[in-house]
Amino acid sequence: MIQKKYYLKKDTVLDERYLIDEAIGEGGFGITYAGENTRIGLKVAIKEFCSRELMDRDVSVSNEFSLIDPAEEERFQKEKNRFLKEARILGDFSGEPGIVHV
């Protein structure tokens, strides 16, 4: 996949254990990366919340997203909550065959 200026760079470490390999997809809620949980040596998919309508970053400057328009804070919070709700729902099904473990 093409490396975009807002994608986390290869070898970025998140939460002191998740090593980013590459971006593998992008959708309405965020960016999905292939990575590894370095504590247990397990390949993982990492989904990062990113609303391109509301957020931007340049990883040559920072790994942190910022709001394009601070007046959109309420909308940002609503979308973030939807993202987290989706993750929790997916977690409820993680024991089912064919569903990823969250």
Side-chain angles (χ1 to χ4, degrees):
M1 177 163 258
I2 297 172
Q3 180 70 23
K4 298 183 180 178
K5 75 176 183 90
Y6 54 91
Y7 285 177
L8 292 172
K9 293 180 184 177
K10 181 177 177 61
D11 297 328
T12 297
V13 177
L14 304 173
D15 197 29
E16 299 179 2
R17 67 179 159 186
Y18 298 106
L19 182 67
I20 298 292
D21 183 26
E22 67 176 339
I24 57 175
E26 182 176 354
F29 274 135
I31 305 164
T32 304
Y33 301 91
E36 179 184 353
N37 180 329
T38 59
R39 290 187 185 166
I40 58 176
L42 182 68
K43 290 192 181 287
V44 295
I46 302 161
K47 189 165 183 182
E48 178 184 37
F49 173 62
C50 169
S51 172
R52 293 292 300 139
E53 292 179 11
L54 300 173
M55 305 159 64
D56 197 19
R57 78 168 157 213
D58 181 345
V59 294
S60 67
V61 177
S62 171
N63 285 338
E64 301 295 323
F65 276 108
S66 61
L67 285 178
I68 295 168
D69 180 358
E72 294 282 6
E73 177 69 30
E74 185 176 338
R75 183 174 165 210
F76 164 79
Q77 289 300 329
K78 285 180 183 178
E79 289 196 21
K80 179 178 160 187
N81 288 337
R82 286 178 52 212
F83 175 83
L84 293 170
K85 182 178 178 181
E86 178 185 277
R88 288 184 193 103
I89 290 169
L90 184 60
D92 287 344
F93 292 98
S94 63
E96 298 293 321
I99 303 292
V100 297
H101 179 73
V102 177

